[in-house]
Amino acid sequence: MKNKILWFLFVSNMAWAQTKTLHPESYLKIVEAYHPVARQAQIGIKKSDAQILQARGAFDPVLRHYIASKTLDGTSYYQYNAPELSIPTWYGIEVNSGIENLQGNRLDPSQTTGQTSYIGIQIPLAKNLLMDKRRAALQQAKLMNQMAFAEQRVVLNQLFLDAMEAYWHWLKCFQVLKITGQNLEAAKRRVEFVKRSLELGDRPAVDTLEASTQLMYMENQNLAKTLDYENATLQLSAYLWQENNVPSNLPKEVIPAEIWGDYSLFSNFDLSLNSILEKVDAFHPELQAYQFKIAGLNVEKKLKFQSLLPKIDLEYNHLMKEKSSSYSGALLANNYRFGIKFELPLRLSSGRGEYQSAKLKIEEETILLSQKKQQIQIKINSYFNQFQNLKKQIQTQEKAVTSYVALTKAEESKFSQGESSLFLINSREIKALEAAEKLLDLKAYLFKTVYALQASAGLLI
């Protein structure tokens, strides 16, 4: 179990055995496959599938069997046996068929003794004809299933964004640590150089103090950046899980991939503002969730409208006595049971209130949808402006780093010729270090912004 995370990295990155690097794409595969949040989102979809199955149950055929008898003082009043099969259909029509067997000495004259079979139909003529609770429940369950997929994308978008922010921070801390390590080695070499020069009488003793002070500064910088990197590794490990909900710590020998200049990572991303804004309406999961919710409320409104209609139910059964199957040729001529039920509340207060409430819910969600759409568009524009600005800042900062490094080397050259001082070299070196760290901050910020731009448009997953 301990090495499962390493094996997953190996199979998702063919260069793993040679480099022991964690590429962002491999990292995201691990997050998507094993992170508890991602797995919980999948459970939400399975729950909505179960709700659809539950709603379909209202359309399952039903087999009933009623048996009753009464005997008092030795007299058999009745013995009743009635199996029935009822088949509901999508359009509110219900087909039923059954057998009634009635025997006894004290029966109602309107009842038919012996065995009678029937096949019949029940039809709503007004209320529940176009929509009823069964159809509404199934339609809403399907919409909730689609909404569950949209909500899963919302969750995964945010999870991937948070995970990638941790990755870029880890990569930046690693590269800052590498730079401070290189500066630390340079400071050590400078101390040795100054000591040899002092022994030869080429440098004053104060230069050893200056070089040693710079070395201590670089050692402290290296310790601080080591701590930053270790903490960043812990933050990254929070997104790495194994099977059976077991958390995993990233092995110390694993390092981030060197990808600052690899903009091919963005090849699958849409970085055109107009194109992104066009895709928002069709693909953004939060907007889709609102749209599915509104669609579900429209189904509810149709159901509530049925409360404004009179209830007129028609029932017709064709009867057959024992094994006879005679049919007169006319529905209401012979051997039938027929009924019509009419019901209408005189003020329709409940129906009007429910229907008005359903319309207000739709209006409320439509307003929220418009507000959410505006918020998303503002966020997308903000991230896009930030993306464009960061590219320019990085270009400027790269030139600044090149200049600071050149000044440091020039100062070192002058120092070797006795024309400069360690104070100036140290000042140049600190400035170069600060500029390099600032450049890494900007690059990490750029990568975070690109992923945030995709997540804000709902396109990250």
Side-chain angles (χ1 to χ4, degrees):
M1 181 66 71
K2 183 177 179 181
N3 295 322
K4 281 187 177 181
I5 188 74
L6 295 179
W7 171 251
F8 191 92
L9 290 172
F10 172 77
V11 298
S12 59
N13 183 357
M14 298 304 293
W16 165 257
Q18 291 76 26
T19 61
K20 293 185 179 180
T21 60
L22 177 59
H23 194 274
E25 291 181 353
S26 302
Y27 168 64
L28 280 182
K29 288 180 181 178
I30 300 170
V31 174
E32 184 178 13
Y34 298 116
H35 196 279
V37 173
R39 301 181 73 174
Q40 286 173 353
Q42 187 64 35
I43 290 174
I45 293 176
K46 293 180 180 178
K47 288 170 65 178
S48 68
D49 289 337
Q51 289 172 353
I52 291 178
L53 183 60
Q54 180 180 349
R56 289 187 189 277
F59 295 91
D60 287 348
V62 178
L63 178 64
R64 304 180 185 91
H65 196 162
Y66 180 66
I67 300 175
S69 64
K70 179 180 178 180
T71 301
L72 181 63
D73 294 333
T75 301
S76 175
Y77 277 67
Y78 63 83
Q79 293 180 346
Y80 184 69
N81 191 348
E84 181 186 35
L85 176 64
S86 177
I87 305 175
T89 67
W90 177 255
Y91 294 101
I93 299 172
E94 188 167 314
V95 179
N96 51 69
S97 178
I99 299 173
E100 292 182 341
N101 194 335
L102 181 62
Q103 305 290 338
N105 298 319
R106 301 288 180 87
L107 300 178
D108 189 322
S110 65
Q111 295 177 309
T112 304
T113 60
Q115 180 174 301
T116 305
S117 61
Y118 63 90
I119 182 169
I121 188 170
Q122 295 177 0
I123 305 174
L125 299 180
K127 183 178 180 180
N128 297 330
L129 177 61
L130 300 178
M131 179 62 67
D132 58 20
K133 290 183 178 180
R134 293 182 299 187
R135 281 175 280 178
L138 181 55
Q139 288 184 21
Q140 288 177 328
K142 290 179 178 179
L143 289 168
M144 292 305 103
N145 180 253
Q146 292 176 298
M147 193 163 83
F149 277 99
E151 289 174 346
Q152 182 199 36
R153 288 181 56 213
V154 172
V155 170
L156 291 181
N157 261 288
Q158 188 60 49
L159 174 63
F160 282 12
L161 177 60
D162 294 342
M164 290 310 300
E165 285 184 352
Y167 183 90
W168 302 128
H169 179 65
W170 177 57
L171 174 57
K172 184 208 75 171
C173 290
F174 173 78
Q175 295 199 331
V176 169
L177 178 60
K178 182 190 290 188
I179 293 174
T180 55
Q182 292 171 351
N183 279 268
L184 176 60
E185 294 301 318
K188 290 179 179 179
R189 290 193 297 270
R190 192 173 298 122
V191 167
E192 294 300 322
F193 173 77
V194 171
K195 285 181 178 179
R196 289 196 300 270
S197 298
L198 177 63
E199 292 171 357
L200 296 174
D202 295 336
R203 300 290 176 186
V206 70
D207 279 356
T208 60
L209 180 60
E210 183 75 30
S212 298
T213 302
Q214 182 71 356
L215 176 60
M216 288 186 287
Y217 173 80
M218 290 300 175
E219 286 176 341
N220 279 332
Q221 284 290 305
N222 189 256
L223 288 172
K225 301 309 177 183
T226 299
L227 177 61
D228 289 345
Y229 176 68
E230 290 175 349
N231 288 337
T233 303
L234 291 175
Q235 293 172 12
L236 185 80
S237 295
Y239 294 94
L240 298 176
W241 290 72
Q242 302 174 24
E243 294 178 338
N244 301 322
N245 300 321
V246 178
S248 177
N249 291 322
L250 190 70
K252 292 183 178 180
E253 62 268 22
V254 180
I255 62 175
E258 299 284 347
I259 55 171
W260 281 137
D262 184 13
Y263 292 104
S264 63
L265 285 173
F266 304 155
S267 60
N268 294 327
F269 291 165
D270 190 343
L271 298 178
S272 169
L273 179 60
N274 292 332
S275 178
I276 290 175
L277 292 175
E278 288 176 359
K279 292 178 179 178
V280 165
D281 288 343
F283 298 108
H284 199 288
E286 289 187 68
L287 298 184
Q288 287 182 332
Y290 273 103
Q291 291 163 358
F292 291 133
K293 187 174 183 179
I294 292 173
L297 291 174
N298 275 311
V299 173
E300 182 181 352
K301 187 183 77 168
K302 291 179 181 179
L303 178 63
K304 299 304 181 184
F305 178 76
Q306 300 301 306
S307 300
L308 302 176
L309 302 176
K311 184 178 178 62
I312 307 174
D313 292 342
L314 169 66
E315 179 180 359
Y316 175 85
N317 289 281
H318 177 64
L319 306 178
M320 292 169 284
K321 181 66 174 174
E322 296 184 353
K323 295 183 179 181
S324 173
S325 59
S326 60
Y327 178 60
S328 64
L331 293 178
L332 300 178
N334 192 19
N335 296 340
Y336 69 89
R337 184 170 60 210
F338 175 79
I340 294 180
K341 181 179 180 181
F342 176 83
E343 182 180 313
L344 176 65
L346 295 181
R347 296 184 59 187
L348 296 175
S349 299
S350 177
R352 287 187 288 120
E354 291 179 354
Y355 184 67
Q356 185 178 4
S357 176
K359 290 198 299 183
L360 290 173
K361 287 180 182 178
I362 294 174
E363 183 179 350
E364 182 181 25
E365 292 300 323
T366 302
I367 293 172
L368 291 175
L369 173 60
S370 299
Q371 184 181 14
K372 173 59 70 173
K373 186 182 297 184
Q374 184 192 34
Q375 292 173 352
I376 290 172
Q377 290 176 345
I378 291 173
K379 185 180 290 187
I380 290 172
N381 278 279
S382 176
Y383 280 127
F384 185 80
N385 293 338
Q386 188 171 288
F387 170 64
Q388 296 293 337
N389 186 267
L390 283 169
K391 288 195 297 183
K392 296 176 182 178
Q393 288 189 60
I394 288 173
Q395 291 176 352
T396 303
Q397 192 65 23
E398 284 176 340
K399 295 177 182 177
V401 170
T402 301
S403 298
Y404 279 121
V405 171
L407 288 172
T408 303
K409 290 182 177 179
E411 210 65 50
E412 288 177 336
S413 178
K414 291 167 64 177
F415 176 76
S416 64
Q417 299 173 8
E419 298 177 0
S420 184
S421 66
L422 278 176
F423 175 78
L424 289 176
I425 292 177
N426 293 342
S427 298
R428 300 289 191 194
E429 192 173 51
I430 291 173
K431 286 291 185 181
L433 178 60
E434 290 174 351
E437 187 171 351
K438 175 65 175 178
L439 177 60
L440 292 174
D441 282 335
L442 290 173
K443 287 184 175 181
Y445 199 14
L446 174 68
F447 276 71
K448 290 179 182 180
T449 299
V450 170
Y451 275 78
L453 174 62
Q454 299 302 305
S456 66
L459 303 175
L460 191 54
I461 178 67

